[in-house]
Amino acid sequence: MGPQQRRAGAGRLTVVAAAIAVAAALATGPGHAAGMIRVAGPSAPVPAGPASPLASPPQPSAAPATASPGPSASAVVPPPRPSASAVPLAPGNSPVPSVTGTAATVPAEPDGGATPPAFGAFLGSDVRGVARIEGFSRWLGGADVRVGHTYLPGHRWSDIEGAYGFLDGWARWRGADADRMLVVNVPMMERNEEGLSDARVGSLLRYGAAGAFDHHFRVLAERLVALKVPDAVLVLGWEMNGTTYAHRCAPDPEAWKRYWNRIVTTMRSVPGQKFRFDFAPSRGRDAIAWTRCYPGDDTVDIIGMDTYDQPRGMPFDEQVDEPFGLQAHVDFAKAHDKPISFPEWGLFRNGDNAVYMRRMLDWMDEHKAVYNTLSDYCPHGVWRCAARPRASWIYRTAHFAPGGRPTAPAPSPPPAGCSATNLGNWIQQLLGSRLCPRPDRGSGTP
Protein backbone atom coordinates (compact mmCIF):
# COMPACT_ATOMS: atom_id res chain seq x y z
CA MET A 1 0.00 0.00 0.00
CA GLY A 2 2.12 2.88 -1.20
CA PRO A 3 3.73 4.67 1.69
CA GLN A 4 1.28 3.63 4.36
CA GLN A 5 2.26 1.90 7.57
CA ARG A 6 2.40 -1.92 7.38
CA ARG A 7 0.66 -4.08 9.95
CA ALA A 8 2.55 -5.54 12.87
CA GLY A 9 3.56 -9.21 12.77
CA ALA A 10 1.25 -11.84 14.19
CA GLY A 11 3.73 -12.89 16.85
CA ARG A 12 4.03 -9.39 18.23
CA LEU A 13 0.26 -9.00 18.35
CA THR A 14 -0.14 -12.30 20.20
CA VAL A 15 2.20 -10.96 22.85
CA VAL A 16 0.18 -7.74 22.96
CA ALA A 17 -3.07 -9.65 23.44
CA ALA A 18 -1.53 -11.75 26.22
CA ALA A 19 -0.12 -8.66 27.91
CA ILE A 20 -3.52 -7.01 27.83
CA ALA A 21 -5.17 -10.01 29.47
CA VAL A 22 -2.51 -10.26 32.17
CA ALA A 23 -2.50 -6.54 32.89
CA ALA A 24 -6.28 -6.49 33.13
CA ALA A 25 -6.33 -9.46 35.50
CA LEU A 26 -3.70 -7.91 37.76
CA ALA A 27 -5.50 -4.59 37.80
CA THR A 28 -8.79 -6.09 38.89
CA GLY A 29 -7.62 -8.66 41.39
CA PRO A 30 -8.58 -12.34 41.67
CA GLY A 31 -12.02 -13.43 40.61
CA HIS A 32 -12.60 -10.53 38.19
CA ALA A 33 -10.59 -11.38 35.08
CA ALA A 34 -13.62 -13.02 33.51
CA GLY A 35 -15.64 -9.89 34.14
CA MET A 36 -13.81 -7.64 31.68
CA ILE A 37 -16.03 -5.75 29.31
CA ARG A 38 -15.30 -3.17 26.63
CA VAL A 39 -16.30 0.40 27.35
CA ALA A 40 -18.53 1.07 24.38
CA GLY A 41 -19.25 4.45 22.88
CA PRO A 42 -22.71 5.53 21.76
CA SER A 43 -24.43 3.32 19.25
CA ALA A 44 -23.45 4.19 15.71
CA PRO A 45 -26.28 5.19 13.39
CA VAL A 46 -27.28 2.56 10.85
CA PRO A 47 -28.14 4.29 7.58
CA ALA A 48 -31.20 3.57 5.57
CA GLY A 49 -30.56 2.82 1.96
CA PRO A 50 -31.40 0.73 -1.06
CA ALA A 51 -31.24 -3.03 -0.97
CA SER A 52 -28.04 -3.08 -3.03
CA PRO A 53 -24.97 -0.79 -3.03
CA LEU A 54 -25.09 2.22 -5.25
CA ALA A 55 -22.69 1.67 -8.12
CA SER A 56 -23.04 5.10 -9.72
CA PRO A 57 -23.21 7.13 -6.52
CA PRO A 58 -24.40 10.70 -6.12
CA GLN A 59 -21.69 13.30 -5.94
CA PRO A 60 -21.51 15.87 -3.16
CA SER A 61 -21.39 19.44 -4.31
CA ALA A 62 -18.26 20.27 -2.42
CA ALA A 63 -15.23 18.70 -0.78
CA PRO A 64 -15.00 18.50 3.01
CA ALA A 65 -14.73 21.86 4.69
CA THR A 66 -11.36 21.04 6.18
CA ALA A 67 -8.60 18.62 5.45
CA SER A 68 -5.65 17.76 7.62
CA PRO A 69 -2.37 19.32 6.48
CA GLY A 70 0.57 17.19 5.49
CA PRO A 71 2.83 15.77 8.19
CA SER A 72 5.49 17.83 9.89
CA ALA A 73 9.09 16.67 10.12
CA SER A 74 8.77 15.97 13.83
CA ALA A 75 5.50 14.08 13.65
CA VAL A 76 5.33 10.59 15.10
CA VAL A 77 4.60 7.42 13.16
CA PRO A 78 1.06 6.11 13.70
CA PRO A 79 0.62 2.63 15.11
CA PRO A 80 0.59 -0.20 12.56
CA ARG A 81 -2.73 -1.81 11.76
CA PRO A 82 -3.28 -4.75 14.12
CA SER A 83 -4.41 -8.14 12.90
CA ALA A 84 -8.10 -8.57 13.61
CA SER A 85 -7.55 -12.08 14.92
CA ALA A 86 -4.92 -11.05 17.45
CA VAL A 87 -6.52 -7.99 19.05
CA PRO A 88 -9.52 -8.42 21.36
CA LEU A 89 -12.60 -6.68 20.04
CA ALA A 90 -16.17 -6.22 21.11
CA PRO A 91 -18.36 -9.17 20.17
CA GLY A 92 -20.33 -9.10 16.95
CA ASN A 93 -20.39 -5.76 15.20
CA SER A 94 -20.11 -3.58 18.29
CA PRO A 95 -18.39 -0.37 17.26
CA VAL A 96 -15.13 0.77 18.77
CA PRO A 97 -15.62 3.94 20.85
CA SER A 98 -14.95 7.26 19.18
CA VAL A 99 -11.74 8.86 20.34
CA THR A 100 -9.71 12.01 19.95
CA GLY A 101 -6.16 13.07 20.64
CA THR A 102 -2.77 12.19 19.20
CA ALA A 103 -1.18 8.91 18.21
CA ALA A 104 1.31 7.21 20.48
CA THR A 105 4.82 6.66 19.21
CA VAL A 106 5.21 3.11 17.96
CA PRO A 107 8.21 1.87 15.95
CA ALA A 108 7.43 1.34 12.28
CA GLU A 109 7.45 -2.19 10.91
CA PRO A 110 9.67 -2.78 7.87
CA ASP A 111 7.76 -3.77 4.76
CA GLY A 112 10.50 -5.98 3.35
CA GLY A 113 10.74 -3.92 0.17
CA ALA A 114 7.62 -5.52 -1.33
CA THR A 115 5.62 -3.49 -3.82
CA PRO A 116 2.41 -2.51 -2.03
CA PRO A 117 -0.98 -2.66 -3.76
CA ALA A 118 -2.44 0.49 -5.24
CA PHE A 119 -5.34 2.14 -3.43
CA GLY A 120 -7.67 5.06 -3.95
CA ALA A 121 -11.26 6.13 -3.43
CA PHE A 122 -14.23 7.08 -5.50
CA LEU A 123 -14.52 10.83 -4.84
CA GLY A 124 -16.86 11.84 -7.67
CA SER A 125 -17.10 11.04 -11.37
CA ASP A 126 -16.48 14.47 -12.86
CA VAL A 127 -13.66 17.01 -12.45
CA ARG A 128 -14.61 17.52 -8.80
CA GLY A 129 -13.54 13.95 -8.17
CA VAL A 130 -10.15 14.67 -9.68
CA ALA A 131 -9.74 17.79 -7.55
CA ARG A 132 -10.60 15.93 -4.33
CA ILE A 133 -7.75 13.45 -4.69
CA GLU A 134 -5.26 16.02 -3.38
CA GLY A 135 -7.37 16.68 -0.28
CA PHE A 136 -7.82 12.96 0.32
CA SER A 137 -4.05 12.52 0.14
CA ARG A 138 -3.50 15.37 2.61
CA TRP A 139 -5.98 13.74 4.99
CA LEU A 140 -3.77 10.67 4.80
CA GLY A 141 -0.67 12.65 5.65
CA GLY A 142 0.53 12.95 2.06
CA ALA A 143 0.08 9.26 1.21
CA ASP A 144 0.47 8.36 -2.46
CA VAL A 145 -3.08 7.86 -3.72
CA ARG A 146 -2.24 5.94 -6.87
CA VAL A 147 -5.71 5.05 -8.14
CA GLY A 148 -8.24 7.43 -9.64
CA HIS A 149 -11.74 6.05 -10.15
CA THR A 150 -14.59 7.38 -12.27
CA TYR A 151 -17.84 6.12 -13.80
CA LEU A 152 -19.08 6.91 -17.27
CA PRO A 153 -22.73 7.94 -17.07
CA GLY A 154 -25.14 5.46 -18.61
CA HIS A 155 -27.95 7.74 -19.71
CA ARG A 156 -27.23 7.78 -23.44
CA TRP A 157 -24.73 6.17 -25.78
CA SER A 158 -22.88 9.48 -26.07
CA ASP A 159 -22.11 9.21 -22.33
CA ILE A 160 -20.73 5.69 -22.74
CA GLU A 161 -18.54 6.91 -25.58
CA GLY A 162 -16.86 9.23 -23.08
CA ALA A 163 -18.67 12.42 -24.00
CA TYR A 164 -16.36 15.24 -25.07
CA GLY A 165 -14.38 16.65 -22.13
CA PHE A 166 -15.69 14.22 -19.48
CA LEU A 167 -12.46 12.21 -19.21
CA ASP A 168 -9.97 15.01 -19.88
CA GLY A 169 -9.27 15.88 -16.24
CA TRP A 170 -8.83 12.24 -15.32
CA ALA A 171 -6.42 11.75 -18.21
CA ARG A 172 -4.30 14.72 -17.10
CA TRP A 173 -4.18 13.35 -13.53
CA ARG A 174 -3.13 9.92 -14.77
CA GLY A 175 -0.50 11.33 -17.11
CA ALA A 176 1.18 13.36 -14.37
CA ASP A 177 2.71 10.25 -12.74
CA ALA A 178 3.67 6.99 -14.41
CA ASP A 179 2.79 4.98 -11.28
CA ARG A 180 -0.85 6.05 -11.30
CA MET A 181 -3.77 3.93 -12.42
CA LEU A 182 -7.04 5.12 -13.93
CA VAL A 183 -10.09 2.92 -13.32
CA VAL A 184 -13.19 3.63 -15.41
CA ASN A 185 -16.54 1.90 -14.92
CA VAL A 186 -18.13 1.42 -18.33
CA PRO A 187 -21.87 0.66 -18.73
CA MET A 188 -22.78 -1.85 -21.43
CA MET A 189 -26.18 -0.28 -22.14
CA GLU A 190 -27.69 3.17 -22.36
CA ARG A 191 -30.66 3.93 -20.09
CA ASN A 192 -28.67 1.85 -17.64
CA GLU A 193 -30.61 2.76 -14.50
CA GLU A 194 -34.09 3.30 -15.92
CA GLY A 195 -35.61 0.03 -14.71
CA LEU A 196 -35.90 -1.75 -18.06
CA SER A 197 -37.82 -5.02 -17.94
CA ASP A 198 -36.04 -8.37 -18.13
CA ALA A 199 -37.62 -8.99 -21.53
CA ARG A 200 -36.25 -5.71 -22.86
CA VAL A 201 -32.82 -6.30 -21.34
CA GLY A 202 -32.65 -9.80 -22.83
CA SER A 203 -33.51 -8.41 -26.26
CA LEU A 204 -30.84 -5.68 -25.98
CA LEU A 205 -28.22 -8.19 -24.89
CA ARG A 206 -28.90 -10.24 -28.00
CA TYR A 207 -28.64 -7.14 -30.18
CA GLY A 208 -25.33 -6.32 -28.56
CA ALA A 209 -24.04 -9.86 -29.00
CA ALA A 210 -24.83 -9.53 -32.72
CA GLY A 211 -22.71 -6.37 -33.02
CA ALA A 212 -25.37 -3.66 -32.94
CA PHE A 213 -23.46 -1.49 -30.47
CA ASP A 214 -19.84 -2.13 -31.48
CA HIS A 215 -19.27 1.38 -32.81
CA HIS A 216 -19.97 3.03 -29.44
CA PHE A 217 -17.20 1.09 -27.75
CA ARG A 218 -14.81 1.72 -30.61
CA VAL A 219 -15.36 5.45 -30.13
CA LEU A 220 -14.62 5.10 -26.40
CA ALA A 221 -11.42 3.14 -27.05
CA GLU A 222 -10.21 5.68 -29.61
CA ARG A 223 -10.96 8.52 -27.21
CA LEU A 224 -9.01 6.92 -24.36
CA VAL A 225 -6.02 6.29 -26.61
CA ALA A 226 -6.15 9.87 -27.89
CA LEU A 227 -6.19 11.12 -24.29
CA LYS A 228 -3.03 9.07 -23.61
CA VAL A 229 -4.67 6.69 -21.15
CA PRO A 230 -4.48 3.51 -23.26
CA ASP A 231 -3.72 1.44 -20.14
CA ALA A 232 -6.92 2.29 -18.24
CA VAL A 233 -8.59 -0.45 -16.22
CA LEU A 234 -12.13 -0.78 -17.55
CA VAL A 235 -14.74 -2.19 -15.16
CA LEU A 236 -17.18 -3.28 -17.83
CA GLY A 237 -20.79 -4.09 -16.93
CA TRP A 238 -20.16 -4.13 -13.18
CA GLU A 239 -22.51 -5.90 -10.74
CA MET A 240 -23.99 -7.84 -13.61
CA ASN A 241 -25.31 -10.48 -11.20
CA GLY A 242 -27.76 -7.99 -9.66
CA THR A 243 -30.99 -6.34 -10.74
CA THR A 244 -30.08 -2.64 -10.75
CA TYR A 245 -28.65 -2.11 -14.21
CA ALA A 246 -29.74 -2.62 -17.80
CA HIS A 247 -26.40 -4.38 -18.33
CA ARG A 248 -27.42 -7.17 -15.96
CA CYS A 249 -26.75 -10.77 -16.88
CA ALA A 250 -29.70 -12.81 -15.57
CA PRO A 251 -32.18 -12.15 -18.42
CA ASP A 252 -29.87 -13.99 -20.88
CA PRO A 253 -26.49 -15.12 -19.50
CA GLU A 254 -25.26 -16.60 -22.78
CA ALA A 255 -26.05 -13.45 -24.73
CA TRP A 256 -24.44 -11.37 -21.97
CA LYS A 257 -21.17 -13.29 -22.28
CA ARG A 258 -21.14 -13.02 -26.07
CA TYR A 259 -21.82 -9.30 -25.79
CA TRP A 260 -18.95 -8.79 -23.26
CA ASN A 261 -16.59 -10.67 -25.57
CA ARG A 262 -17.68 -8.57 -28.53
CA ILE A 263 -17.06 -5.31 -26.64
CA VAL A 264 -13.59 -6.40 -25.50
CA THR A 265 -12.65 -7.60 -28.97
CA THR A 266 -13.81 -4.31 -30.49
CA MET A 267 -11.89 -2.16 -28.02
CA ARG A 268 -8.73 -4.25 -28.30
CA SER A 269 -8.78 -3.77 -32.06
CA VAL A 270 -7.98 -0.05 -31.67
CA PRO A 271 -4.28 0.67 -32.33
CA GLY A 272 -2.27 1.71 -29.28
CA GLN A 273 -4.61 0.29 -26.66
CA LYS A 274 -3.34 -1.59 -23.60
CA PHE A 275 -6.61 -1.81 -21.68
CA ARG A 276 -7.23 -4.22 -18.81
CA PHE A 277 -10.79 -5.47 -18.44
CA ASP A 278 -12.10 -6.07 -14.92
CA PHE A 279 -15.02 -8.49 -14.43
CA ALA A 280 -16.57 -7.27 -11.15
CA PRO A 281 -19.77 -8.83 -9.77
CA SER A 282 -21.26 -7.89 -6.42
CA ARG A 283 -20.55 -10.17 -3.47
CA GLY A 284 -22.96 -13.07 -3.01
CA ARG A 285 -25.44 -14.72 -5.31
CA ASP A 286 -27.86 -11.83 -5.88
CA ALA A 287 -30.15 -12.49 -8.88
CA ILE A 288 -27.83 -15.07 -10.46
CA ALA A 289 -24.63 -16.85 -9.53
CA TRP A 290 -21.96 -14.54 -10.93
CA THR A 291 -19.90 -17.50 -12.12
CA ARG A 292 -22.61 -18.12 -14.74
CA CYS A 293 -21.83 -14.70 -16.22
CA TYR A 294 -18.05 -15.18 -16.52
CA PRO A 295 -17.21 -14.61 -20.20
CA GLY A 296 -13.93 -16.53 -20.34
CA ASP A 297 -10.25 -16.04 -19.59
CA ASP A 298 -9.37 -14.61 -23.01
CA THR A 299 -11.35 -11.41 -22.46
CA VAL A 300 -10.87 -10.91 -18.71
CA ASP A 301 -7.68 -9.48 -17.19
CA ILE A 302 -8.79 -8.93 -13.57
CA ILE A 303 -11.54 -10.54 -11.51
CA GLY A 304 -12.94 -7.91 -9.17
CA MET A 305 -15.71 -7.80 -6.60
CA ASP A 306 -17.90 -5.02 -5.25
CA THR A 307 -18.49 -5.65 -1.57
CA TYR A 308 -20.11 -3.63 1.20
CA ASP A 309 -20.72 -4.32 4.88
CA GLN A 310 -24.19 -5.81 4.47
CA PRO A 311 -26.71 -7.23 5.16
CA ARG A 312 -27.38 -5.92 8.63
CA GLY A 313 -25.98 -8.20 11.31
CA MET A 314 -23.77 -10.29 9.01
CA PRO A 315 -20.26 -10.58 10.51
CA PHE A 316 -17.20 -10.48 8.31
CA ASP A 317 -16.55 -14.22 8.52
CA GLU A 318 -19.94 -14.89 6.96
CA GLN A 319 -19.17 -12.42 4.17
CA VAL A 320 -16.07 -14.51 3.52
CA ASP A 321 -17.78 -17.91 3.63
CA GLU A 322 -21.19 -17.26 2.07
CA PRO A 323 -21.88 -18.77 -1.37
CA PHE A 324 -20.21 -16.60 -4.04
CA GLY A 325 -18.63 -14.52 -1.27
CA LEU A 326 -15.13 -13.26 -0.64
CA GLN A 327 -13.46 -16.68 -0.39
CA ALA A 328 -15.24 -17.89 -3.53
CA HIS A 329 -13.95 -14.78 -5.31
CA VAL A 330 -10.36 -15.51 -4.31
CA ASP A 331 -10.65 -19.19 -5.22
CA PHE A 332 -12.26 -18.49 -8.59
CA ALA A 333 -9.59 -15.97 -9.55
CA LYS A 334 -6.83 -18.37 -8.53
CA ALA A 335 -8.38 -21.17 -10.60
CA HIS A 336 -8.38 -18.84 -13.62
CA ASP A 337 -4.91 -17.42 -12.91
CA LYS A 338 -6.19 -13.85 -12.61
CA PRO A 339 -5.41 -11.11 -10.09
CA ILE A 340 -8.24 -9.76 -7.95
CA SER A 341 -9.47 -6.24 -7.28
CA PHE A 342 -12.10 -4.39 -5.26
CA PRO A 343 -13.40 -1.54 -7.44
CA GLU A 344 -16.12 -0.74 -4.88
CA TRP A 345 -16.15 -1.45 -1.18
CA GLY A 346 -17.10 0.24 2.05
CA LEU A 347 -19.37 0.47 5.06
CA PHE A 348 -23.12 0.14 4.82
CA ARG A 349 -25.86 -1.63 6.77
CA ASN A 350 -23.86 -2.15 9.97
CA GLY A 351 -23.01 1.50 10.54
CA ASP A 352 -19.66 2.68 11.84
CA ASN A 353 -18.16 -0.81 11.92
CA ALA A 354 -14.47 -0.58 12.80
CA VAL A 355 -14.19 -4.38 12.95
CA TYR A 356 -15.33 -4.66 9.32
CA MET A 357 -12.91 -1.94 8.25
CA ARG A 358 -9.93 -3.64 9.88
CA ARG A 359 -10.86 -7.09 8.57
CA MET A 360 -11.47 -5.86 5.03
CA LEU A 361 -8.14 -4.04 4.87
CA ASP A 362 -6.37 -7.16 6.12
CA TRP A 363 -8.24 -9.30 3.59
CA MET A 364 -7.12 -7.15 0.66
CA ASP A 365 -3.53 -7.19 1.89
CA GLU A 366 -3.53 -10.93 2.45
CA HIS A 367 -4.86 -11.71 -1.01
CA LYS A 368 -2.81 -9.08 -2.83
CA ALA A 369 -5.55 -7.16 -4.60
CA VAL A 370 -4.05 -5.37 -7.59
CA TYR A 371 -6.02 -2.28 -6.56
CA ASN A 372 -8.91 -1.21 -4.37
CA THR A 373 -11.06 1.91 -4.32
CA LEU A 374 -13.26 2.73 -1.34
CA SER A 375 -16.62 4.34 -2.15
CA ASP A 376 -16.08 7.56 -0.21
CA TYR A 377 -19.56 8.99 0.21
CA CYS A 378 -22.20 8.34 2.87
CA PRO A 379 -23.10 5.77 4.01
CA HIS A 380 -20.01 3.94 2.72
CA GLY A 381 -17.09 6.31 3.15
CA VAL A 382 -14.57 7.58 5.67
CA TRP A 383 -13.29 11.00 4.57
CA ARG A 384 -16.48 12.63 3.36
CA CYS A 385 -18.79 10.87 5.82
CA ALA A 386 -18.59 12.33 9.33
CA ALA A 387 -20.91 9.65 10.70
CA ARG A 388 -18.14 7.03 10.50
CA PRO A 389 -15.41 8.19 12.96
CA ARG A 390 -14.36 4.77 14.28
CA ALA A 391 -13.96 3.06 10.92
CA SER A 392 -12.41 6.25 9.57
CA TRP A 393 -9.68 6.08 12.21
CA ILE A 394 -8.84 2.48 11.23
CA TYR A 395 -8.67 3.35 7.52
CA ARG A 396 -6.67 6.51 8.07
CA THR A 397 -4.12 4.90 10.36
CA ALA A 398 -3.64 2.04 7.91
CA HIS A 399 -2.91 4.34 4.96
CA PHE A 400 -1.17 7.25 6.65
CA ALA A 401 2.18 8.20 5.15
CA PRO A 402 5.28 7.15 7.17
CA GLY A 403 6.29 9.87 9.61
CA GLY A 404 2.77 11.31 9.54
CA ARG A 405 0.55 12.12 12.49
CA PRO A 406 -3.17 11.43 12.14
CA THR A 407 -5.70 12.75 14.61
CA ALA A 408 -5.79 9.80 16.95
CA PRO A 409 -8.39 8.35 19.28
CA ALA A 410 -8.43 8.76 23.04
CA PRO A 411 -10.56 6.41 25.13
CA SER A 412 -14.14 7.36 25.88
CA PRO A 413 -14.94 7.85 29.58
CA PRO A 414 -16.19 4.73 31.38
CA PRO A 415 -19.89 4.36 32.18
CA ALA A 416 -21.19 5.27 35.60
CA GLY A 417 -20.02 2.90 38.29
CA CYS A 418 -17.09 1.60 36.25
CA SER A 419 -13.43 2.31 36.96
CA ALA A 420 -11.59 1.80 33.67
CA THR A 421 -8.29 -0.06 33.73
CA ASN A 422 -5.44 1.98 32.24
CA LEU A 423 -3.27 -0.31 30.09
CA GLY A 424 -1.31 2.46 28.39
CA ASN A 425 -2.20 4.66 25.46
CA TRP A 426 -0.85 2.56 22.62
CA ILE A 427 -2.60 -0.64 23.78
CA GLN A 428 -5.85 1.29 24.19
CA GLN A 429 -5.50 2.65 20.67
CA LEU A 430 -5.05 -0.86 19.30
CA LEU A 431 -8.16 -1.98 21.18
CA GLY A 432 -10.10 1.19 20.41
CA SER A 433 -11.10 1.52 24.06
CA ARG A 434 -10.20 0.80 27.66
CA LEU A 435 -11.08 -2.39 29.46
CA CYS A 436 -13.39 -2.02 32.41
CA PRO A 437 -13.75 -4.51 35.27
CA ARG A 438 -17.46 -4.98 35.82
CA PRO A 439 -17.95 -4.97 39.61
CA ASP A 440 -20.99 -7.27 39.54
CA ARG A 441 -19.17 -10.22 37.90
CA GLY A 442 -18.31 -12.93 40.41
CA SER A 443 -20.20 -11.16 43.17
CA GLY A 444 -23.56 -12.79 42.65
CA THR A 445 -25.13 -9.52 41.49
CA PRO A 446 -27.64 -10.16 38.65
Side-chain angles (χ1 to χ4, degrees):
M1 289 187 181
Q4 76 233 36
Q5 193 71 34
R6 307 300 296 172
R7 75 167 74 83
R12 172 178 162 188
L13 287 170
T14 302
V15 173
V16 170
I20 291 169
V22 171
L26 291 175
T28 57
H32 289 279
M36 287 296 179
I37 62 169
R38 179 177 301 280
V39 180
S43 299
V46 178
S52 60
L54 301 175
S56 292
Q59 301 170 20
S61 59
T66 60
S68 299
S72 64
S74 60
V76 298
V77 178
R81 178 166 75 247
S83 167
S85 61
V87 180
L89 292 168
N93 287 317
S94 300
V96 179
S98 61
V99 282
T100 57
T102 57
T105 303
V106 177
E109 291 288 331
D111 63 11
T115 302
F119 77 93
F122 173 74
L123 303 169
S125 288
D126 58 17
V127 292
R128 292 173 294 178
V130 182
R132 290 181 185 125
I133 294 175
E134 182 179 355
F136 185 61
S137 174
R138 286 198 307 270
W139 183 70
L140 296 173
D144 187 10
V145 179
R146 292 172 52 202
V147 186
H149 189 185
T150 186
Y151 293 72
L152 292 176
H155 307 300
R156 296 291 177 264
W157 283 114
S158 58
D159 299 323
I160 298 170
E161 292 172 354
Y164 180 78
F166 184 84
L167 291 167
D168 292 17
W170 290 105
R172 286 192 294 271
W173 175 86
R174 166 64 184 89
D177 189 326
D179 288 335
R180 289 175 176 172
M181 178 188 301
L182 177 60
V183 176
V184 183
N185 276 50
V186 180
M188 293 169 66
M189 293 288 181
E190 68 172 351
R191 301 175 61 197
N192 197 36
E193 296 183 57
E194 294 185 18
L196 302 184
S197 69
D198 281 354
R200 180 59 176 155
V201 168
S203 177
L204 289 169
L205 290 174
R206 291 185 285 275
Y207 284 141
F213 310 130
D214 288 2
H215 59 290
H216 300 298
F217 296 96
R218 185 174 295 108
V219 169
L220 172 60
E222 290 170 347
R223 183 159 283 156
L224 289 167
V225 170
L227 287 170
K228 300 182 180 179
V229 283
D231 57 352
V233 175
L234 305 180
V235 187
L236 181 64
W238 69 99
E239 299 182 10
M240 76 299 296
N241 56 323
T243 59
T244 302
Y245 302 112
H247 62 221
R248 61 189 182 270
C249 169
D252 193 333
E254 294 306 313
W256 192 94
K257 290 185 281 189
R258 292 195 305 272
Y259 183 32
W260 167 289
N261 290 333
R262 184 135 196 151
I263 293 170
V264 172
T265 300
T266 297
M267 296 189 73
R268 284 180 175 170
S269 72
V270 172
Q273 69 79 33
K274 296 181 286 187
F275 304 126
R276 286 185 287 173
F277 291 88
D278 192 337
F279 171 83
S282 56
R283 194 195 81 236
R285 180 182 175 86
D286 214 322
I288 186 173
W290 51 260
T291 52
R292 290 186 58 196
C293 307
Y294 187 68
D297 292 345
D298 290 345
T299 56
V300 172
D301 299 291
I302 302 168
I303 297 178
M305 179 164 278
D306 290 355
T307 180
Y308 292 87
D309 186 22
Q310 64 170 343
R312 183 174 288 120
M314 177 180 277
F316 189 81
D317 286 339
E318 289 186 26
Q319 297 179 30
V320 171
D321 295 334
E322 69 173 328
F324 307 101
L326 293 173
Q327 187 62 55
H329 171 226
V330 169
D331 293 343
F332 188 86
K334 184 176 181 180
H336 291 265
D337 196 26
K338 303 292 182 183
I340 67 168
S341 71
F342 294 93
E344 288 186 34
W345 70 279
L347 305 162
F348 198 12
R349 301 290 186 186
N350 295 304
D352 188 12
N353 191 346
V355 177
Y356 169 85
M357 181 59 68
R358 181 181 290 118
R359 294 289 303 275
M360 190 63 199
L361 290 168
D362 285 345
W363 183 265
M364 292 186 291
D365 275 0
E366 178 185 354
H367 296 288
K368 299 177 174 60
V370 67
Y371 76 90
N372 77 81
T373 44
L374 177 84
S375 296
D376 192 60
Y377 58 94
C378 286
H380 309 307
V382 292
W383 179 45
R384 295 189 294 160
C385 192
R388 302 289 182 259
R390 304 161 183 83
S392 175
W393 163 246
I394 297 295
Y395 183 92
R396 196 177 182 205
T397 302
H399 292 86
F400 216 79
R405 186 177 187 177
T407 302
S412 299
C418 171
S419 176
T421 301
N422 190 342
L423 301 178
N425 287 339
W426 75 272
I427 293 178
Q428 286 161 194
Q429 285 162 0
L430 286 176
L431 287 173
S433 67
R434 291 185 179 183
L435 292 177
C436 173
R438 182 181 287 170
D440 58 346
R441 290 292 176 89
S443 65
T445 306

